[in-house]
Amino acid sequence: LAMPKLTIIARVSDGLPLAASMEDDKYHRDLDVYKNQAKRIFKQLSSTSPARLSIESGSEIFHYIIGSGVCYLVLTERAYPKRLAFNYLEELQKEFNLLYATEVDMATRPYAFIKFDAFIQKTKKLYVDTRAQRNVNKLNEDLADVQKIMMTNIQDVLGRGERLDSVMKHSGKLRDGAREYAKQAKHLNTQMLLRKYGPVVLIIIIIIAVMYWRFR
């Protein structure tokens, strides 16, 4: 099943894990690599990091949202709908904020709110079956806001050891540069076509005009 496989909630200021889901034993070893990647992602967060982001990692994708100094992260397979992943995180954010908003800054040990796992497990069950009517209805909602969420690659995030906001700024500059290059290439291509075929088209237009005036 392309379900939420791993869920971790962490404090943005220092990456301290606050709560997490308890995985089935059959997934535990397979997820160790992704757990380490998640920890490194948390360490690179800052107050200026993107509020929502998707990060590709092999056959899986991390999705996260940040709110009130807390990051809610889930790992899913590529086939799992992005819309449902972010809906899932929003439900966790709403409940966690309701229960622990005033206690987050005072937490000093990892997984201080591990009891929240019960709510994570209960909520995760609602998102296992993407064909359930509840989830189908969510998928039919407006996708515009989800499509705007940026996507990056785990190598880009972890490879250079930069803060996530710096990585995304760099990625944004690359995209802008590529867009500008494509625009210039299109303009140059148009100019070349005009130079190549412009005179021929002009002669044809003149011939048609002359014939029109002569035989009308």
Coordinates of all heavy atoms in Angstrom, one line a residue, residues 83 87 90 134-146:
R83 N -1.9 15.5 -2.5 CA -3.0 16.2 -1.8 C -3.3 15.5 -0.5 O -3.5 16.1 0.6 CB -4.2 16.2 -2.7 CG -5.6 16.3 -2.0 CD -5.8 17.6 -1.3 NE -6.1 18.6 -2.3 CZ -6.3 19.9 -1.9 NH1 -6.3 20.2 -0.6 NH2 -6.5 20.8 -2.8
N87 N -3.0 16.8 3.4 CA -4.2 16.8 4.3 C -3.9 16.1 5.6 O -4.3 16.5 6.7 CB -5.4 16.1 3.5 CG -6.1 17.1 2.6 OD1 -6.5 16.7 1.5 ND2 -6.3 18.3 3.0
E90 N -1.9 18.2 7.8 CA -2.7 19.3 8.4 C -3.5 18.9 9.6 O -3.7 19.6 10.5 CB -3.5 19.9 7.3 CG -2.8 20.8 6.3 CD -3.5 21.0 5.0 OE1 -4.7 20.6 4.9 OE2 -3.0 21.7 4.1
R134 N -14.0 9.1 1.5 CA -13.5 10.3 2.2 C -12.3 10.9 1.5 O -12.1 12.1 1.3 CB -13.1 9.9 3.7 CG -12.4 11.0 4.5 CD -12.0 10.4 5.8 NE -11.5 11.4 6.7 CZ -10.2 11.8 6.7 NH1 -9.4 11.2 5.9 NH2 -9.8 12.7 7.6
N135 N -11.4 10.0 1.1 CA -10.1 10.5 0.4 C -10.4 10.8 -1.0 O -9.7 11.7 -1.6 CB -9.1 9.4 0.5 CG -8.6 9.1 1.9 OD1 -8.6 10.1 2.7 ND2 -8.2 7.9 2.3
V136 N -11.3 10.2 -1.7 CA -11.7 10.5 -3.1 C -12.2 11.9 -3.1 O -11.9 12.7 -4.0 CB -12.7 9.5 -3.6 CG1 -13.3 10.1 -5.0 CG2 -12.1 8.2 -3.8
N137 N -13.0 12.3 -2.1 CA -13.6 13.6 -2.0 C -12.5 14.7 -1.9 O -12.5 15.7 -2.5 CB -14.6 13.8 -0.8 CG -15.8 13.0 -1.1 OD1 -16.2 12.6 -2.2 ND2 -16.5 12.6 0.0
K138 N -11.5 14.3 -1.1 CA -10.3 15.3 -0.9 C -9.6 15.4 -2.1 O -9.1 16.5 -2.5 CB -9.4 14.8 0.3 CG -10.1 14.9 1.7 CD -9.1 14.4 2.7 CE -9.7 14.5 4.1 NZ -9.9 15.9 4.5
L139 N -9.4 14.3 -2.9 CA -8.7 14.4 -4.1 C -9.4 15.2 -5.2 O -8.7 15.8 -6.1 CB -8.4 13.0 -4.7 CG -7.4 12.2 -3.9 CD1 -7.4 10.7 -4.4 CD2 -6.0 12.8 -4.1
N140 N -10.7 15.3 -5.1 CA -11.5 16.1 -6.1 C -11.5 17.6 -5.7 O -12.1 18.4 -6.5 CB -12.9 15.5 -6.1 CG -12.9 14.2 -6.8 OD1 -12.1 13.9 -7.6 ND2 -13.9 13.4 -6.4
E141 N -11.0 18.0 -4.6 CA -10.9 19.4 -4.2 C -9.9 20.1 -5.1 O -9.2 19.5 -5.9 CB -10.5 19.5 -2.8 CG -11.6 19.0 -1.8 CD -11.1 19.0 -0.4 OE1 -9.9 19.5 -0.1 OE2 -11.8 18.5 0.5
D142 N -10.0 21.4 -5.1 CA -9.1 22.2 -5.9 C -7.6 21.9 -5.6 O -7.2 21.9 -4.4 CB -9.3 23.7 -5.6 CG -8.4 24.6 -6.4 OD1 -8.0 24.2 -7.5 OD2 -8.2 25.8 -6.0
L143 N -6.9 21.6 -6.6 CA -5.5 21.2 -6.5 C -4.5 22.3 -6.7 O -3.3 22.1 -6.6 CB -5.1 20.1 -7.5 CG -5.9 18.7 -7.3 CD1 -5.5 17.8 -8.5 CD2 -5.5 18.1 -6.0
A144 N -5.0 23.5 -6.9 CA -4.1 24.6 -7.2 C -3.0 24.9 -6.1 O -1.9 25.1 -6.4 CB -4.9 25.9 -7.4
D145 N -3.5 24.8 -4.8 CA -2.6 25.1 -3.7 C -1.5 24.0 -3.6 O -0.4 24.3 -3.3 CB -3.4 25.3 -2.4 CG -4.2 24.1 -2.1 OD1 -4.5 23.3 -3.1 OD2 -4.5 23.9 -0.9
V146 N -1.9 22.8 -3.9 CA -0.9 21.7 -3.8 C 0.1 21.7 -4.9 O 1.3 21.5 -4.7 CB -1.7 20.3 -3.8 CG1 -0.7 19.2 -3.8 CG2 -2.5 20.2 -2.5

